[in-house]
Structures are given as C-alpha cells and as structure tokens.
Amino acid sequence: MTEAASLSELTPVPEHVPETLVYDFDMFKDPAYRADPHKRVLELIDIAPPVFWTPRNGGHWMLVSHSANFEAARDCEGFSSEVLPYEKMEELLEQMADESGRIPRAYPINLDPPLHGTYRKPLQGVFSPRTINELKGHIRTLAGELLDAVAGSGECEFMAAIAEPLPVKVFLGMLGMPVDKYPEYRALVRAHMDAQASSGASDAIGRLQKVAAAMRDTIEERKDKREDDIISMLWGVEIDGRETTQEDLENYGVLLFIAGLDTVMQGIGLGVRHLAENPDLQQQLREDPSLISNATEELLRRYTFTVPPRRVAKDMEFQGVQMKKDERAMLFLPGADLDPAEYSSPEEFNLKREGAHIAFNAGPHRCLGSHLARIELNILYEELLARLPQFRMDPVRPPSFNCGHVVGVESLHLVWGD
Amino acid sequence: MKIRIDKSACVGNARCWAISDELFPLDEDGYIDIEEFEVPAGKEDLARRGARACPERVITVIEN
Ligand code: HEM
Ligand code: SF4
C-alpha cells in the first residue's frame, strides 16, 4: 500500500469554501506529520492559510494561528463542544442505553456554558494548585521507582517503561483505587490511545463503560467510608445544589480518565525526546535544576500536542471566513503555540521565553488538570535528570509518532552509558 | 503602578500566582482572588511578569 492510499478519502469541498482556503491535510495520517509532527506543524504555519478547510476525514476546518485558536476557544456560542446539541445527545444516549447499558458522560468537556459550568465547578477545588501540591511526594516516589528499575540497563523504550505507567499510577493513587487495578487500566488506556489515533469508528462506548465499571466498587465503598482521595472528595461536592450520585461519580471518573492519562504520557514522551536530542540542555538542567520548571513550560509550548474538536454552532463569519452551522473545526493548538506572530523564533527552544502558551487551551474549557500535569512533568524531568546519566536517542531505533486529537509518541528508544 | 484584573474572565490557570503568590492571591478553587491593587514599590517587575504570564490576558498593568 502506498502512503497516499492510506490517507482518508477526499470529500467534496462545500460551495461556500473558496479554493484559496483549501489545504489538503490529513490530521491522522499525513505522512510528514506522522514522521516528525512538530516539524510538519511549522511547515503548515508557513504554507497553509491560518484558518483552512481540509477535505480529509469528512472535511473540516483547521484553526492554525494563535489568534484563531484564542478567539475560537473563548467563543462557545460559535464553537460548540457538544457533538450534538445537548438535548439531542441525551435523547440518543438514552435510546442507546436500552441496548447497551448506561453510557457514561464525560461532563463537562463536551458541554457548553451554562451547563458546562455546572459540572466544572465541583471539580475546581479538587484540582486547585493547593490540593494537587499535596500529591508531590507520592508522584516523586513513583517516578523514582520506575526510573531506578531501568537505570542499570543502559537502555529502554521510554514510553512503555516510564511515560505510560507513571500517569496511570498517579491516577489510581489519586482517585483512591486499589493498585491491583493497574494492569486493567493500562490496557484500557492503550485501547483509548489507539482509538484516539484513528479517525474511524471504534468501540468508544464499550471502553468508557469498562472504565466506569472498573471504578464502580471503589466509588460505592467511599460513599459511606470517606478517605483521603478524590473519589471521596467528589462524594462531598454538590452539583448545582444537589448531592452527587453514583452516576455523577462514574461520569467524573471517565472524564479524568479521558483527559488526564494519555495527555500526560505524550507530554512526557515529546519532552523527553527533546532532552535526548539536546545533551547541552540536559547538562544545563543538571547543573541548575531550578531551570527545570521553565523547561517544562517551554517544552509544553514547543511541542503543544492536543487538538480539541468543535462544532460550528451557527452560520457565521469568523476572522473573514464563512463557516456554516454543524461544520467541524479543530483547534489546532500545536499551530497556535508555534505561531511566529505570537512567539519570536517559535522553533527555538528558549528557556528565557516569557509569556503564556495555550497548550492547555484557553477559555472556559481550559484544562482543569494543568496543575497536576505540570507537577507530573516537572517531577519526572527532575528525577530523570538526577537518576540517569546523559541519555540519547537510540541511533538504530528512531522514534515513531501517532497523530490525531492527541499528538504523541508511539515509541521512544533511549540509550545511556557506554 | 496599578494592576487591574478582569476577575470574571479568570479561568484559574494560576500562572500569575506561580510568578508571585503574594501579589496574586488565589481563592479556594484556585481562581484569582483580587480585582485591583496598587503595586508595592520594588514589585513592579514582578507585577508585569505576572500579567504577561496570564494565558487569558485578563491582567492589565496600569503604569502611572
Ligand atoms: C500535559 C498534559 C495535559 C494537556 C496538554 C491537557 C490539555 C487539555 C486541553 C487542551 C483541554 C481543553 C479541551 C477542550 O478545549 O475541549 C483540557 C481539558 C481538560 N483537562 Fe487536560 N490536559 C493535560 C492533562 C490533564 C490532567 C492530568 C487532567 C486531570 C486529571 C486533565 C483534566 C482535564 C479536564 C477535566 C478537562 C476538561 C475541562 C473542561 O471542559 O472544562 N488534563 N486539557
Ligand atoms: S493567570 Fe490569569 S487566568 Fe490564571 S489565575 Fe491568574 S488571572 Fe486567572
């Protein structure tokens, strides 16, 4: 099979989309993008329009510039997070539930204001910097254990050895789930990631049901016997003045699963690849670990990796472009954070860069887990640089990547020592 | 020098707080807990950096 043949089909471009705004880009399969994602992102910024239409994957808008992403992220009336309007979606899910059992809802990530706020508010305290800071010691211990297990071997495939297990272990610990759920959760995360990287139909519902089922016992136990964990905290919050139910807790659990696991993994993968390719940077950070938190931020900007989807909610003109109701639009955040109109020499990794990136998006849906994500990344980099000598990419096994709504690393073979 | 914050538009990034927890206090939920203040002498630079760090751009510096 040739590369071109594996791309998704081309769909006819709608009439209101001028030819000048069409650029052929398959966000799942584009070969150059999959070979080295952010290199291709820089190229896209150079040659594609700041807001363009791609005829791949059914046809959709791509918002590439910083200004387009920043504006769209804050305009929930124009750019809806609901795949279908709420009432229609609920109706559909209820119908499907008759056949396949209850379907968990990942509220609030797929809701628009004001309902979005109703479901987001209870989580805010749970993920505030103060609560999350208390997890630091636990995360450091886990990171240290994983790194020590490979330190003596002189090589590892970093994704399987470190980047995947760490967030899953943090997640289980934080929620208060038993550690023996680990293999089950890792398998579920794997399946979730494989599905993220494909545009085709997948058994998303079955997977979410399994995620919910794996938490059900712990959720029930905590209802009457609270402990020091997030499930217990969520039993204590109120949604719009009412107490939370078993269903709410399962929904929240599913939300955190979808939002907080593969994201951290890919962040780690992309960051560690940059470190492995830049021994001078490793050296600099080992000499002055106080620079690591800046490095974490700059890595997030340089390799921004999520592409949240939106539904155009009404016919409108957006930054001079005519869009029609129910067209799909991707917030291509990797482009936003490499936009030269926003960041000087965006391709340069610059520890001294100031100002904000939008790797966690902006606006009402902005990542709730950003404090946790930052802490996980930061601690992992600190422990990695402290526990391993200079590491580099394995010259015979180059990295491979996955592209989709989350851009990430499939394999990352590192070597160190002589 | 003064800082003014559009509190209603804060989404709780706490990036300002990460620059200075003294100038940019947060509420229990991690949102900004202050709307306007006079920047103490000697803290101007910190205040400017805090404002630049806000991804939502809701912190305005009013230079006298
Ligand atoms: C480096 C890692 C991470 C990145 C880059 C990231 C990125 C994002 C982005 C871009 C969004 C916005 C989605 C949208 O606009 O539709 C988001 C939302 C969200 N994230 Fe994260 N995330 C990360 C880690 C986490 C973690 C560790 C958690 C929690 C355990 C988490 C929980 C959430 C939640 C709950 C939302 C939904 C917020 C809402 O819709 O109001 N994320 N994340
Ligand atoms: S950085 Fe901006 S959005 Fe964040 S807490 Fe401070 S004011 Fe709010």
Side-chain angles (χ1 to χ4, degrees):
Chain A
M1 196 164 64
T2 66
E3 273 178 343
S6 70
L7 294 181
S8 72
E9 269 172 51
L10 287 166
T11 22
V13 175
E15 246 165 57
H16 67 283
V17 178
E19 215 174 292
T20 46
L21 291 184
V22 179
Y23 183 86
D24 182 356
F25 179 70
D26 188 326
M27 63 176 275
F28 296 92
K29 299 276 176 58
D30 181 89
Y33 189 41
R34 291 202 57 162
D36 199 350
H38 292 83
K39 195 166 159 209
R40 177 70 165 134
V41 175
L42 284 164
E43 197 178 279
L44 273 184
I45 293 171
D46 232 21
I47 57 183
V51 174
F52 71 83
W53 177 272
T54 172
R56 299 287 170 185
N57 299 297
H60 60 85
W61 294 105
M62 290 282 289
L63 276 46
V64 183
S65 67
H66 188 282
S67 100
N69 279 285
F70 195 68
E71 188 179 336
R74 296 150 64 97
D75 173 12
C76 301
E77 279 174 23
F79 294 92
S80 169
S81 291
E82 301 177 357
V83 180
L84 290 173
Y86 176 74
E87 278 84 17
K88 271 195 202 154
M89 190 59 156
E90 282 299 307
E91 216 175 281
L92 183 73
L93 290 171
E94 290 303 330
Q95 279 169 16
M96 288 164 71
D98 292 342
E99 268 185 34
S100 51
R102 181 178 184 275
I103 300 161
R105 323 278 208 265
Y107 297 157
I109 202 165
N110 49 10
L111 291 176
D112 294 335
L115 204 52
H116 165 262
T118 307
Y119 286 90
R120 178 170 166 119
K121 189 153 196 329
L123 292 173
Q124 264 148 207
V126 178
F127 285 95
S128 74
R130 286 193 184 90
T131 329
I132 295 300
N133 276 344
E134 288 171 21
L135 297 172
K136 277 185 178 168
H138 178 60
I139 297 173
R140 196 174 295 284
T141 310
L142 290 174
E145 284 168 6
L146 290 167
L147 286 161
D148 285 348
V150 297
S153 56
E155 60 164 359
C156 75
E157 196 286 286
F158 201 80
M159 299 312 289
I162 318 280
E164 291 178 15
L166 180 66
V168 179
K169 291 191 168 189
V170 170
F171 178 83
L172 294 177
M174 179 174 89
L175 263 71
M177 309 249 302
V179 275
D180 62 12
K181 293 275 179 197
Y182 174 71
E184 186 180 345
Y185 262 76
R186 253 198 87 181
L188 284 167
V189 173
R190 244 298 111 217
H192 173 69
M193 287 200 299
D194 292 344
Q196 287 287 301
S198 82
S199 51
S202 66
D203 183 23
I205 291 173
R207 224 171 31 250
L208 298 185
Q209 286 174 327
K210 280 186 198 151
V211 172
M215 307 181 177
R216 195 156 292 142
D217 293 350
T218 312
I219 295 177
E220 277 170 10
E221 283 165 32
R222 294 297 187 280
K223 180 164 192 187
D224 301 313
K225 192 172 166 295
R226 306 286 161 90
E227 291 190 19
D228 181 20
D229 56 41
I230 284 186
I231 291 183
S232 302
M233 285 171 88
L234 290 172
W235 273 121
V237 301
E238 287 186 350
I239 299 178
D240 212 12
R242 63 165 176 82
E243 287 182 3
T244 42
T245 63
Q246 177 82 21
E247 288 183 358
D248 292 322
L249 263 81
E250 289 180 17
N251 286 348
Y252 279 147
V254 166
L255 168 75
L256 300 177
F257 174 92
I258 316 184
L261 292 173
D262 62 328
T263 45
V264 178
M265 288 170 197
Q266 308 308 1
I268 294 176
L270 292 163
V272 171
R273 179 215 184 191
H274 183 90
L275 289 171
E277 286 179 342
N278 292 277
D280 292 350
L281 176 62
Q282 287 185 41
Q283 180 75 16
Q284 189 186 4
L285 299 177
R286 281 197 183 90
E287 277 166 16
D288 183 0
S290 73
L291 295 173
I292 294 179
S293 60
N294 282 5
T296 303
E297 287 314 302
E298 179 65 349
L299 288 169
L300 280 166
R301 181 201 67 85
R302 179 64 182 79
Y303 302 100
T304 292
F305 59 87
T306 72
V307 184
R310 293 292 188 265
R311 179 176 54 87
V312 175
K314 57 181 184 201
D315 291 359
M316 62 180 178
E317 188 184 303
F318 174 75
Q319 300 200 340
V321 174
Q322 294 301 321
M323 297 186 172
K324 293 252 188 254
K325 186 167 184 295
D326 292 334
E327 285 171 348
R328 290 175 310 129
M330 303 298 156
L331 304 184
F332 194 57
L333 302 178
D337 278 343
L338 289 171
D339 185 345
E342 193 62 30
Y343 307 95
S344 58
S345 310
E347 72 291 350
E348 267 169 35
F349 178 89
N350 177 356
L351 274 179
K352 295 219 174 73
R353 203 182 283 279
E354 276 204 350
H357 60 72
I358 53 171
F360 294 112
N361 207 359
H365 285 281
R366 186 187 130 100
C367 182
L368 255 177
S370 63
H371 311 301
L372 174 61
R374 286 193 159 103
I375 284 175
E376 289 191 60
L377 291 167
N378 216 52
I379 291 181
L380 187 270
Y381 298 144
E382 284 173 3
E383 293 303 312
L384 173 65
L385 291 162
R387 283 166 204 258
L388 292 193
Q390 192 187 100
F391 52 88
R392 51 197 186 276
M393 304 295 292
D394 183 336
V396 294
R397 284 177 294 184
S400 57
F401 301 93
N402 247 318
C403 297
H405 292 291
V406 176
V407 176
V409 185
E410 212 164 53
S411 71
L412 183 67
H413 290 275
L414 301 184
V415 292
W416 56 89
D418 334 291
Chain B
M1 182 176 155
K2 246 197 206 158
I3 290 284
R4 188 172 296 151
I5 302 172
D6 176 5
K7 214 174 148 186
S8 63
C10 166
V11 299
N13 294 291
R15 300 317 291 158
C16 52
W17 176 82
I19 301 278
S20 166
D21 53 357
E22 198 186 320
L23 292 178
F24 302 99
L26 301 184
D27 67 16
E28 281 293 297
D29 285 352
Y31 284 60
I32 192 78
D33 205 15
I34 193 163
E35 233 154 328
E36 200 174 291
F37 60 91
E38 208 50 65
V39 178
K43 303 269 178 185
E44 291 84 358
D45 216 38
L46 212 55
R48 274 189 212 104
R49 278 177 51 213
R52 274 201 298 273
C54 174
E56 300 298 316
R57 304 183 188 172
V58 303
I59 309 181
T60 325
V61 180
I62 303 162
E63 307 272 358
N64 289 335

